[in-house]
Amino acid sequence: MEDQLRNLRTETLSLIGRLTDEKAVEEARVKVLGRKGDLTQFLRGLKDLPPDRRAALGQLANTIKAELEEEFDRILVEVRRNAEMRALAEDVVDVTLPGRRMMLGRRHILHRVAQDMIEIFRDLGFQLAEGPDVELDYYNFEALNIPRDHPARDMQDTFYFSDNVVLRTHTSPVETRVMEKQRPPVRIICPGKVYRRDADMTHSPMFMQVEGLWVDEGISFADLKGVLVAFVHEYFGAGVDLRFRPSFFPFTEPSAEVDIQCVICGGSGCRTCSNTGWLEILGSGMNDPEIYRFVDYDPERYTGFAFGIGIERVAMLKYGVPDIRTFYENDVRFLTQL
Ligand code: DAH
């Protein structure tokens, strides 16, 4: 029986030496080591032997089994590698094909624009502030001098959670929240999402603003203009045309809106700028003394200005995007271009 075992080993080793493809390796392995394989049968047969012979032969059989298993593993790796080399040699694998690139993620363009804007204002001495998206009617309207029946509310219709809780329509409520906690001088910048019932090429029901506020003794409209011109020239370049237009906000007096020449059409008029050649990017003004009443600031001593810049508008002008909605469609072909 021992000879039988040794023969099986020699035969199997010589068989393994002749194997050249994966399928044949698998078949040979089953023939010898499978459930009905030669070696498996042999091991089964041992149980009929007297114990002393069984032990000796069993040990030898197991050593041979381990050896053969290892040899089968080795030959499998070898035939696989050979097959690969053959494929390469036969040009089945085109090694000149470009590799597959991993797509790298990145921050959304609007967040990058917001960050760039904040950095400019930080250089001008503004500190970062924050406020909630879900806001009390009091901060969104009331404390900004927009009482319940005021027509200015029509332009900022929003989503109501209840009579007193809304999705904020602008970042201006953060002004009151900051002034409640801090005495002048106050110089803050606050980016965030805002919500309105509004949707077309240049309006989205959710959009982003950067709010700014500077209150101190002796702040004038010249400071407002200086800061905003400095921002526009720093961000868009010194040659960019902008204009201040008189406007109205219940919480500023006087008020101004700032437009930038439409880059989509170069100022000649197009759908994006409603044929005016200009695109509004922000509202601003000198704080109405009325809003200081809500935060207990002395209007005889302090003056200040505030502004709210539309981040999407700035991004549209900076990157030549004609339709605001493309920012939110999440089409990577668009987003990776910016
Ligand atoms: N909150 C205004 C809006 O969303 C913009 C604005 C105007 C902000 C004047 C201000 C400001 O801070 O002083 O249209």
Side-chain angles (χ1 to χ4, degrees):
M1 275 185 90
E2 192 176 323
D3 286 347
Q4 195 190 338
L5 189 56
R6 291 194 191 283
N7 282 342
L8 179 58
R9 173 179 176 273
T10 322
E11 274 165 29
T12 308
L13 287 177
S14 107
L15 172 65
I16 288 175
R18 279 176 278 126
L19 293 173
T20 52
D21 70 85
E22 201 170 329
K23 191 160 157 263
V25 171
E26 218 29 66
E27 278 167 10
R29 188 206 292 272
V30 170
K31 182 177 172 298
V32 180
L33 300 172
R35 227 154 31 91
K36 293 187 184 139
D38 299 339
L39 187 60
T40 317
Q41 304 270 34
F42 183 89
L43 277 161
R44 252 187 229 129
L46 291 179
K47 69 178 188 307
D48 302 325
L49 297 177
D52 54 332
R53 289 212 54 209
R54 193 196 308 163
L57 265 179
Q59 200 177 22
L60 181 63
N62 276 322
T63 313
I64 289 174
K65 187 178 172 203
E67 181 192 12
L68 294 179
E69 275 171 352
E70 212 168 281
E71 280 300 297
F72 273 117
D73 287 345
R74 188 190 55 74
I75 192 71
L76 187 62
V77 172
E78 194 177 304
V79 298
R80 275 187 187 154
R81 200 182 45 224
N82 287 342
E84 230 167 75
M85 300 304 278
R86 269 199 306 280
L88 276 175
E90 288 165 15
D91 270 358
V92 178
V93 175
D94 182 354
V95 292
T96 66
L97 272 181
R100 281 187 205 156
R101 237 173 249 274
M102 285 267 280
M103 269 255 283
L104 282 185
R106 51 157 78 193
R107 282 188 310 146
H108 192 275
I109 182 63
L110 293 176
H111 286 280
R112 279 183 278 136
V113 169
Q115 198 56 46
D116 293 344
M117 293 169 69
I118 287 163
E119 263 159 40
I120 293 173
F121 284 107
R122 204 159 43 196
D123 289 348
L124 292 168
F126 287 78
Q127 283 182 335
L128 205 57
E130 245 185 355
D133 287 23
V134 179
E135 185 55 282
L136 292 171
D137 183 282
Y138 174 78
Y139 289 110
N140 196 77
F141 295 122
E142 219 55 50
L144 289 169
N145 205 23
I146 314 175
R148 275 207 182 265
D149 50 3
H150 197 285
R153 286 202 178 199
D154 287 354
M155 273 170 45
Q156 301 199 358
D157 194 9
T158 182
F159 305 88
Y160 282 78
F161 285 87
S162 69
D163 269 1
N164 292 317
V165 181
V166 301
L167 282 179
R168 65 179 176 191
T169 58
H170 48 182
T171 39
S172 302
V174 182
E175 294 181 21
T176 312
R177 285 182 173 277
V178 169
M179 288 191 286
E180 271 182 348
K181 293 211 184 73
Q182 190 184 328
R183 303 271 98 195
V186 165
R187 202 187 326 177
I188 53 117
I189 193 83
C190 163
K193 294 195 191 78
V194 301
Y195 308 83
R196 283 184 208 178
R197 227 192 91 195
D198 224 350
D200 58 34
M201 264 180 93
T202 50
H203 297 85
S204 155
M206 182 201 75
F207 61 107
M208 290 165 77
Q209 289 187 332
V210 169
E211 189 80 11
L213 171 69
W214 188 346
V215 186
D216 202 348
E217 290 179 17
I219 298 288
S220 73
F221 200 93
D223 297 303
L224 179 158
K225 197 167 177 191
V227 163
L228 292 177
V229 170
F231 161 72
V232 169
H233 284 171
E234 177 65 28
Y235 191 74
F236 289 103
V240 163
D241 261 351
L242 68 162
R243 67 176 186 186
F244 283 72
R245 236 177 335 102
S247 182
F248 171 81
F249 298 101
F251 41 100
T252 46
E253 179 62 34
S255 307
E257 284 174 324
V258 173
D259 302 335
I260 289 189
Q261 200 163 50
C262 179
V263 295
I264 309 292
C265 59
S268 60
C270 66
R271 255 154 55 87
T272 303
C273 60
S274 310
N275 287 314
T276 62
W278 298 91
L279 207 59
E280 180 196 327
I281 59 159
L282 68 90
S284 66
M286 299 304 294
N287 296 147
D288 193 310
E290 204 50 33
I291 68 166
Y292 288 168
R293 277 202 313 122
F294 291 93
V295 294
D296 221 12
Y297 279 13
D298 178 0
E300 296 301 324
R301 181 168 171 202
Y302 297 114
T303 50
F305 67 84
F307 54 86
I309 309 178
I311 296 179
E312 284 82 355
R313 297 288 184 82
V314 166
M316 287 167 79
L317 289 167
K318 178 86 173 179
Y319 296 100
V321 176
D323 191 325
I324 195 171
R325 291 167 291 204
T326 42
F327 288 122
Y328 299 109
E329 281 165 0
N330 279 339
D331 185 335
V332 284
R333 289 170 304 181
F334 166 74
L335 293 174
T336 51
Q337 285 176 47
L338 302 177

